[in-house]
Amino acid sequence: MTTQAEIRAPGGAILVDCTHERHADQILAIFNDAIATSTALYDYKPRPREAMTGWFQAKRQGGFPVVGYENEAGELMAFASYGTFRAWPAYKYSVEHSVYVDGRFRGQGLGEALMRELIARARADQVHVLIGGIDAANQGSIRLHQKLGFTHAGTIREAGFKFGRWLDLAFYQLTLETPDSPADG
């Protein structure tokens, strides 16, 4: 079991449960930067502000966490969440997660700290499998997942097309000992 000491972020960052009211604009800015500058999101156009209402609503309705780290000034440095992996009932013990770090705060261990927090919450939520879909060229994210015990579950070649090139999507999974009593239905 992960302890609070293992989850603590460096540099005095404060772990928070993100809310629409306080964090939607900051999360949107991080998302839109990732869309414009990276292959972390296979999306082309920046998301409008209104998209955050539905995003937070889906998280709330599914009982899924949205956690982040703020600095002392109240800036959201990074956030992470998980949600539905696939919409069919038999996938109810599997979730797909994501973690994003604001470019100004990368290299401080925030991504790892948030991943450890997500894993702890997944155990508490009786999740069995955490799944990360990672652009296969994103070696930093792949190394982070491997460090935390995730294993490569497969790669879909040329799954996306962005920035004038085909992108391979690698899936990494962490299988937990939970749920305590899995059941059909």
Side-chain angles (χ1 to χ4, degrees):
M1 188 71 153
T2 306
T3 66
Q4 283 300 97
E6 292 173 312
I7 296 171
R8 191 175 321 122
I14 303 158
L15 181 66
V16 296
D17 286 300
C18 296
T19 66
H20 182 271
E21 297 73 29
R22 181 172 170 91
H23 300 101
D25 289 340
Q26 294 176 81
I27 289 173
L28 181 63
I30 294 169
F31 271 148
N32 284 341
D33 180 67
I35 290 167
T37 65
S38 77
T39 56
L41 278 167
Y42 286 12
D43 210 342
Y44 295 121
K45 295 180 181 178
R47 296 177 182 179
R49 191 168 199 232
E50 305 80 50
M52 296 311 297
T53 301
W55 187 83
F56 268 100
Q57 184 177 37
K59 299 298 181 182
R60 188 175 53 256
Q61 285 176 341
F64 302 127
V66 180
V67 295
Y69 278 107
E70 291 181 344
N71 61 18
E72 292 175 359
E75 294 175 289
L76 188 67
M77 303 164 72
F79 74 94
S81 185
Y82 56 74
T84 303
F85 169 62
R86 298 191 78 187
W88 293 279
Y91 293 105
K92 67 183 174 180
Y93 297 116
S94 297
V95 295
E96 186 171 0
H97 68 275
S98 57
V99 60
Y100 295 92
V101 179
D102 184 306
R104 299 171 297 159
F105 303 108
R106 291 190 184 127
Q108 299 179 30
L110 295 165
E112 180 178 342
L114 282 171
M115 284 298 303
R116 290 185 186 282
E117 177 68 16
L118 279 187
I119 292 166
R121 290 191 185 212
R123 279 190 175 101
D125 288 344
Q126 298 292 293
V127 168
H128 186 60
V129 178
L130 281 143
I131 301 158
I134 306 168
D135 184 80
N138 188 342
Q139 290 303 306
S141 185
I142 289 170
R143 279 192 301 276
L144 170 61
H145 282 77
Q146 290 172 331
K147 177 180 182 179
L148 295 173
F150 284 76
T151 57
H152 183 247
T155 298
I156 301 173
R157 306 271 178 230
E158 299 184 2
F161 188 83
K162 186 175 179 181
F163 300 136
R165 66 182 190 277
W166 291 108
L167 307 173
D168 297 342
L169 181 61
F171 286 97
Y172 281 79
Q173 77 174 65
L174 179 67
T175 304
L176 303 175
E177 65 284 355
T178 48
D180 297 327
S181 301
D184 288 342

